Amino acid sequence: MKLFFILVLEVFIYSSFTYSQLPDSLRDKFEIPKYSTNDVLIMHKGFSLVYNEKHEQASWVAYELTAEETVKSFERSNKFLEDPLVSSGTATDEDYSSSGYDRGHLAPAADMSWSEQTMRESFFYSNMSPQTPSFNRGIWKKLEEKVRDWATEYKQLFVVTGPILSDTLSLSIGINKVTVPRYYYKVLCDTLNKKGIGFVLPNSASSLPLNSFAISIDSVEVLTGINFFPTLSKKDEVIYEKQVCIECWNWGNTLKVTEQIAPSKVDTTKLETSVRCIATTKAGKRCKSKTLSPNSKCSKHGGN
């Protein structure tokens, strides 16, 4: 009988809810951004998300990461699955196959390696977004590793991450037309040490130090239209969101900051950057040309 009630509780907690259905105890979870009454909140064991059907990926993925959860207990499953809690359906293997893009994790698998279930659920397509290989395996991976370092050092972090989506994005992949974002964000809140920080990174390779992408959480809110950590008091918003203290975070061997985006002047029109063309040459190799085209292809390969 005890096992029965445990199973019932897990089905209740790790499920999908409209805003009106969600109990107050779950609605006020610190890491969950403010969402509308039309949004459906998907709650898995290790992370929560709101799925954006138009773009076939999550608008945001949120979770708490503790020092204990950074200890690896289970290996990567590498088994990508459709998310059974997204009633409208998610992207599939076919969407990403031969697209030239990685199935980029929003909540990293390494952050979810503390249980077999969380590891498995981290490979749901609701947690994936099309990322250029050089980004996913480069600067994005470095940021994910740094977040785990900080979670270990500071004991607990609240993390919200996702793509910056807009109606002007035209490039998509697969039959389900999965939008290819130009930028990704990540915001972190350390309530034990009273600090917060945000990041915005272009979906392309970069050799810049991580702290050159650091901006205030308020600035990320302007770019995304998302209200992060809505349960913060007005007083605490000033501490966590309206300012960013670069020196308050341990960057380890990170190189000296070269240039930071001024939090008060963040503008999506100024975030344009060239990316490497995703097309393949006749010799079967990745094109080396750079492009600003929305479809990530140079003029020789159909860029516009």
Side-chain angles (χ1 to χ4, degrees), residues 200 208-215 246 255-263 270:
V200 171
L208 291 174
L210 285 173
N211 47 7
S212 65
F213 297 100
I215 58 176
I246 300 295
L255 300 176
K256 182 179 179 181
V257 175
T258 54
E259 180 181 358
Q260 295 177 34
I261 303 173
K270 297 179 181 180

Side-chain angles (χ1 to χ4, degrees), residues 16-280:
S16 59
F17 304 90
T18 61
Y19 185 84
S20 60
Q21 294 172 328
L22 192 65
D24 290 341
S25 60
L26 297 181
R27 186 181 301 168
D28 294 335
K29 287 187 68 176
F30 182 81
E31 71 271 21
I32 296 180
K34 185 176 181 180
Y35 58 100
S36 74
T37 55
N38 296 323
D39 288 330
V40 176
L41 179 64
I42 306 296
M43 303 191 76
H44 293 299
K45 183 173 183 178
F47 60 92
S48 303
L49 64 95
V50 161
Y51 194 74
N52 191 316
E53 178 61 28
K54 180 176 181 179
H55 296 284
E56 289 293 2
Q57 57 200 283
S59 294
W60 53 260
V61 173
Y63 58 99
E64 175 188 5
L65 184 64
T66 65
E68 292 76 17
E69 289 170 342
T70 63
V71 178
K72 185 176 180 180
S73 299
F74 292 86
E75 296 294 329
R76 285 174 62 96
S77 71
N78 287 321
K79 185 177 182 180
F80 294 86
L81 300 167
E82 295 180 50
D83 190 333
L85 297 184
V86 179
S87 59
S88 58
T90 60
T92 66
D93 292 341
E94 288 72 24
D95 289 311
Y96 284 84
S97 178
S98 302
S99 69
Y101 290 92
D102 281 358
R103 293 170 287 194
H105 280 72
L106 297 177
D111 289 8
M112 299 293 143
S113 65
W114 46 275
S115 88
E116 184 176 9
Q117 180 179 344
T118 53
M119 174 59 76
R120 182 178 69 253
E121 292 176 341
S122 75
F123 282 85
F124 284 157
Y125 273 106
S126 58
N127 188 41
M128 300 299 139
S129 183
Q131 296 181 343
T132 61
S134 56
F135 172 72
N136 180 41
R137 307 170 198 182
I139 192 71
W140 188 246
K141 181 181 179 182
K142 290 180 181 178
L143 179 56
E144 292 173 337
E145 292 171 343
K146 181 57 66 178
V147 170
R148 284 191 291 278
D149 289 343
W150 286 338
T152 301
E153 181 174 356
Y154 305 132
K155 306 307 179 186
Q156 177 193 59
L157 287 177
F158 294 97
V159 184
V160 188
T161 188
I164 296 181
L165 302 171
S166 71
D167 294 337
T168 61
L169 293 173
S170 58
L171 179 62
S172 62
I173 59 171
I175 191 171
N176 287 308
K177 298 189 179 302
V178 184
T179 297
V180 178
R182 292 186 177 182
Y183 300 91
Y184 289 88
Y185 68 87
K186 196 180 292 287
V187 296
L188 310 172
C189 194
D190 174 7
T191 57
L192 296 179
N193 299 285
K194 294 189 178 299
K195 60 180 183 287
I197 194 169
F199 296 87
V200 171
L201 303 90
N203 188 7
S204 59
S206 177
S207 59
L208 291 174
L210 285 173
N211 47 7
S212 65
F213 297 100
I215 58 176
S216 70
I217 294 176
D218 252 10
S219 298
V220 183
E221 289 183 333
V222 171
L223 289 170
T224 61
I226 299 172
N227 181 4
F228 301 109
F229 313 117
T231 60
L232 283 172
S233 67
K234 293 296 183 182
K235 179 180 178 180
D236 284 342
E237 278 187 10
V238 175
I239 298 173
Y240 292 102
E241 297 189 346
K242 295 187 181 300
Q243 57 193 16
V244 56
C245 175
I246 300 295
E247 297 78 17
C248 295
W249 300 82
N250 182 1
W251 300 93
N253 295 323
T254 303
L255 300 176
K256 182 179 179 181
V257 175
T258 54
E259 180 181 358
Q260 295 177 34
I261 303 173
S264 60
K265 298 181 180 180
V266 176
D267 186 332
T268 53
T269 62
K270 297 179 181 180
L271 287 175
E272 296 301 328
T273 185
S274 61
V275 297
R276 186 177 175 182
C277 176
I278 64 171
T280 302

